[in-house]
Amino acid sequence: QKVTVEVLDHLERLALVDFRDAEGVERLQKAIQFADQLHEVNTDGVEPMDSVLEDRCLYLREDDVTEGNCTKELLKNAREKVEEYFVAPPGNIPLPKLEERETFLQGS
């Protein structure tokens, strides 16, 4: 199954993983082929699981706030902030241009 440039771009931005070489694209295609096997499983009539701990009773607690009002203290840890928000970097890898990715996809 071929991976389009747009899908590759979207996945790189979501996962912050660089697929810019042929090996990365091939690894991605193999992962997709592996995951496609799940479509062959017949799940008709199978009820969805509510919990992975079905043999135990899960107790819920009240959602009471016990701490808070420490925004200024927390924002002291921020390298960069805007108003009362942390500013995160756009990603940890430089993403190539769409045209550059097309050459890797054509070779796969």
Side-chain angles (χ1 to χ4, degrees):
Q1 182 174 353
K2 290 287 183 182
V3 178
T4 65
V5 175
E6 292 78 18
V7 168
L8 195 62
D9 182 56
H10 185 66
L11 288 174
E12 281 184 338
R13 292 185 189 287
L14 287 176
L16 296 177
V17 174
D18 187 359
F19 296 113
R20 84 174 71 189
D21 61 4
E23 182 183 340
V25 173
E26 184 180 335
R27 199 170 334 127
L28 176 63
Q29 287 175 333
K30 285 181 180 176
I32 291 171
Q33 288 170 355
F34 181 77
D36 275 344
Q37 296 175 53
L38 294 175
H39 293 294
E40 297 176 16
V41 178
N42 182 358
T43 57
D44 292 343
V46 177
E47 291 293 321
M49 289 178 52
D50 293 330
S51 168
V52 294
L53 303 172
E54 288 184 5
D55 60 330
R56 298 184 192 173
C57 185
L58 299 178
Y59 299 99
L60 299 178
R61 62 172 171 78
E62 293 296 320
D63 192 15
D64 295 326
V65 177
T66 57
E67 297 179 41
N69 296 327
C70 53
T71 304
K72 288 180 184 176
E73 189 178 327
L74 289 174
L75 286 174
K76 287 180 186 176
N77 297 316
R79 253 191 217 166
E80 189 177 342
K81 61 186 175 191
V82 173
E83 296 177 4
E84 292 186 353
Y85 297 96
F86 284 88
V87 176
N92 61 356
I93 58 168
L95 296 176
K97 303 257 186 274
L98 286 175
E99 303 82 43
E100 294 174 16
R101 286 198 203 106
E102 283 180 339
T103 54
F104 296 118
L105 291 174
Q106 289 170 356
S108 64

